[in-house]
Amino acid sequence: MTKDLSNTNDVNTDKTATSSAWGGRFSEATDAFVQRFTASVDFDQRMYLEDIEGSIAHATMLAKVGVLSDDEKQQIYAGLEGVRADIEQGTFEWSVELEDVHMNIESALTKRIGITGKKLHTGRSRNDQVATDIRLYVRSAIDAIAKELTRLQEGLLVVAEREAGTIMPGFTHLQTAQPVTFGHHLMAWFEMLSRDFDRFMDCRQRLNQSPLGAAALAGTTYPIDRDYTADLLGFERPTANSLDSVSDRDFAIEFCSAASVLLMHLSRASEELILWTSAQFDFIDLPDRFCTGSSIMPQKKNPDVPELVRGKTGRVYGNLTSLLTLMKSQPLAYNKDNQEDKEPLFDTIDTVRDCLRAFADMIPAIQAKKDNMYQAAKKGFSTATDLADYLVRKGIAFRDSHEIVGKSVAYGIEQNKDLSEMTLAELQQFSTTIEQDVFDVLTLEGSVAARNHIGGTAPKQVKAAVDNAKQLLAARS
Ligand code: ARG
């Protein structure tokens, strides 16, 4: 039982001024430049699947509430299916005159199925339509990002487990501080990425509400069923306020914010990879396939992939700033400004996906140069704290033991000797409390093994951390 609410049969389509979807009240055609200036089709066509999915849900709901007949609904399904096929086969002709992805698809639908196509927009506006499309698009981007993040974390676990006992210098101020294990260092990256994962999931959960039905800004007079369309599109519920629904872009900002923190983390890891591959550190080797050479210096092997990831962090921060600035001071409800949300958002999605892919491919291929790491850890008096702790265990107050060790280090610098390379007699110059057993704590192995508590660098703890992490990842799937 269908009422012809859109009354489209009566429209005089023989317009001379403009044939656009909103041309009715206009008496001259849009300026050609303005048409190009205001169009978004060049960049929003990538949401064609979400747009079609949203339209199918809308048509299904309109038929359920009796605004469309079942036959009209079926025509719309078939027509949209045809449009999708055309787009995917590359035969669809995108037109700037039709402004955006929404009107391009609607117009193609009408060309295919005639007047029924014109009924699809009943009870809907491009304002709620675009809000719905972007939410759907970001939601599936988050799902793809979550998979890639997990793949990267799995790769980290493989290397961390393998290198749980590999000793390297740990740094503060980029000065040798205390020995750590390479596995422990990689598990620090793992923790950063776990927080990133949670941030994206948090963003996903908050964005997962359906703006469809908010129409232009105030809702619609048709007897729509917003719970139903929300459900059809996999949203948790309809959004609560129609004005907010069409103007809200918080989810895009939250997404770009989560992306910025992620890229900040990847830039830090990149920086370390770049340092470690340098001749000065020489801690790791990256396979040739992740590096490039120099056109002038034949000896060079440059860590381009981490460098580029570090560099791309800048555009992701920039995109976040763009979106925050775009939304600043905007009055309710929809404003054309909002069309500017897409390029920064899409660029962020593409950049995050590419960077994660590069990292997920690269990390498991890292080769640790264990001997170089070990030798570096031996330099820089990295077991000085262990000597201080040893003296405290023998009854000396920490501040005094700090002083004793400081003097020992000064002597070591002068003699060019690590603490572990000094004789007992040399060490005893600074404290007679020092005995033969000091050498147990002055070794790198002893130093890392002694930090044997939750979150510590002892190989045993690194293995435990890897086991916990495996369980965390298993619970995601
Ligand atoms: N292309 C527009 C956008 O991306 C779609 C919504 C346009 N709505 C309007 N009333 N002009 O935001």
Side-chain angles (χ1 to χ4, degrees):
M1 184 208 50
T2 314
K3 292 160 267 169
D4 188 3
L5 294 163
S6 50
N7 215 12
T8 31
N9 291 315
D10 297 340
V11 171
N12 173 15
T13 48
D14 183 27
K15 268 196 255 90
T16 43
T18 168
S19 56
S20 73
W22 34 259
R25 64 99 66 214
F26 285 75
S27 57
E28 64 171 349
T30 316
D31 178 88
F33 168 72
V34 170
Q35 199 159 61
R36 266 183 289 123
F37 183 64
T38 53
S40 55
V41 64
D42 286 348
F43 50 83
D44 68 14
Q45 57 183 260
R46 65 156 78 193
M47 299 196 301
Y48 75 90
L49 268 183
E50 290 73 18
D51 197 68
I52 290 171
E53 199 190 340
S55 290
I56 288 173
H58 184 63
T60 308
M61 182 278 292
L62 289 180
K64 178 172 175 265
V65 301
V67 173
L68 290 179
S69 70
D70 268 344
D71 176 55
E72 286 170 330
K73 177 182 86 177
Q74 293 302 339
Q75 286 179 49
I76 289 174
Y77 285 175
L80 287 172
E81 187 48 42
V83 171
R84 189 180 65 81
D86 283 352
I87 295 172
E88 280 166 9
Q89 280 151 27
T91 53
F92 191 90
E93 276 181 35
W94 297 100
S95 144
V96 177
E97 283 101 85
L98 291 165
E99 205 177 310
D100 55 25
V101 62
H102 324 292
M103 293 204 288
N104 268 270
I105 289 179
E106 192 189 315
S107 154
L109 174 72
T110 301
K111 266 196 203 126
R112 279 179 165 267
I113 66 169
I115 191 132
T116 307
K118 296 187 182 181
K119 296 186 179 182
L120 172 62
H121 212 52
T122 314
R124 182 176 79 167
S125 151
R126 274 184 300 148
N127 297 351
D128 61 340
Q129 188 178 357
V130 70
T132 305
D133 291 4
I134 315 172
R135 282 180 192 248
L136 290 173
Y137 193 88
V138 175
R139 191 178 69 187
S140 59
I142 291 176
D143 291 342
I145 285 167
K147 279 210 185 90
E148 212 55 355
L149 251 175
T150 301
R151 187 166 77 89
L152 166 55
Q153 290 189 287
E154 283 164 356
L156 277 173
L157 291 188
V158 171
V159 190
E161 189 162 37
R162 192 172 70 213
E163 310 295 346
T166 304
I167 291 171
M168 68 183 287
F171 300 93
T172 60
H173 314 269
L174 204 58
Q175 311 286 322
T176 300
Q178 291 170 354
V180 295
T181 55
F182 187 39
H184 194 52
H185 193 115
L186 296 174
M187 288 307 287
W189 293 358
F190 183 95
E191 288 301 314
M192 300 177 196
L193 296 175
S194 291
R195 293 193 295 273
D196 291 321
F197 184 91
D198 291 347
R199 265 184 284 272
F200 280 112
M201 286 303 127
D202 180 55
C203 170
R204 187 191 196 284
Q205 184 244 320
R206 211 172 0 264
L207 76 71
N208 203 22
Q209 300 186 1
S210 173
L212 202 57
L217 76 166
T220 174
T221 55
Y222 297 94
I224 57 167
D225 183 344
R226 294 193 62 209
D227 284 311
Y228 187 53
T229 41
D231 196 46
L232 289 174
L233 293 170
F235 286 120
E236 222 150 80
R237 68 180 84 88
T239 49
N241 179 290
S242 64
L243 293 169
D244 180 47
S245 306
V246 292
S247 79
D248 170 35
R249 296 293 183 272
D250 290 5
F251 61 91
I253 292 173
E254 289 183 26
F255 175 85
C256 287
S257 153
S260 294
V261 180
L262 167 65
L263 262 288
M264 177 270 287
H265 288 150
L266 293 183
S267 79
R268 295 181 64 188
S270 294
E271 176 75 5
E272 294 187 321
L273 292 173
I274 293 161
L275 287 170
W276 294 344
T277 54
S278 71
Q280 287 67 27
F281 276 81
D282 205 16
F283 284 1
I284 61 161
D285 198 32
L286 285 179
D288 289 357
R289 64 182 182 281
F290 297 106
C291 301
T292 64
S294 157
S295 53
I296 180 165
M297 297 166 284
Q299 85 284 10
K300 293 272 283 196
K301 177 173 157 182
N302 297 327
D304 285 44
V305 170
E307 285 177 281
L308 201 52
V309 171
R310 186 178 59 180
K312 282 187 185 288
T313 308
R315 68 198 288 159
V316 172
Y317 289 3
N319 291 338
L320 172 61
T321 305
S322 293
L323 288 184
L324 285 168
T325 314
L326 173 70
M327 294 311 296
K328 178 183 177 294
S329 313
Q330 261 199 54
L332 287 171
Y334 176 86
N335 299 286
K336 183 73 172 178
D337 313 42
N338 284 359
Q339 184 166 289
E340 285 287 298
D341 61 356
K342 285 168 205 64
E343 287 158 295
L345 181 60
F346 294 158
D347 184 69
T348 302
I349 291 171
D350 294 346
T351 306
V352 167
R353 293 192 63 176
D354 285 353
C355 292
L356 281 175
R357 181 184 168 166
F359 252 74
D361 289 347
M362 184 174 61
I363 290 296
I366 291 179
Q367 296 295 329
K369 296 185 169 177
K370 296 179 206 245
D371 198 46
N372 292 354
M373 288 183 178
Y374 192 86
Q375 293 310 323
K378 273 179 97 173
K379 285 185 219 143
F381 305 95
S382 65
T383 55
T385 319
D386 297 87
L387 177 57
D389 290 345
Y390 167 88
L391 290 168
V392 168
R393 280 197 298 276
K394 300 261 173 181
I396 295 180
F398 184 77
R399 280 295 156 221
D400 294 333
S401 84
H402 189 286
E403 172 82 16
I404 294 167
V405 179
K407 287 189 172 136
S408 318
V409 167
Y411 172 81
I413 292 169
E414 200 185 283
Q415 301 288 315
N416 196 22
K417 264 186 193 173
D418 184 58
L419 294 172
S420 63
E421 291 163 350
M422 295 178 195
T423 63
L424 184 58
E426 279 176 305
L427 286 167
Q428 283 174 338
Q429 301 173 77
F430 309 104
S431 169
T432 48
T433 311
I434 299 176
E435 291 167 44
Q436 185 61 36
D437 61 352
V438 75
F439 293 104
D440 298 341
V441 309
L442 290 184
T443 64
L444 298 175
E445 288 78 3
S447 172
V448 294
R451 286 163 172 79
N452 188 22
H453 51 76
I454 294 170
T457 195
K460 214 174 129 189
Q461 294 298 334
V462 175
K463 282 183 198 129
V466 168
D467 285 345
N468 286 339
K470 281 183 186 168
Q471 282 177 29
L472 183 92
L473 295 192
R476 278 184 197 170
S477 44

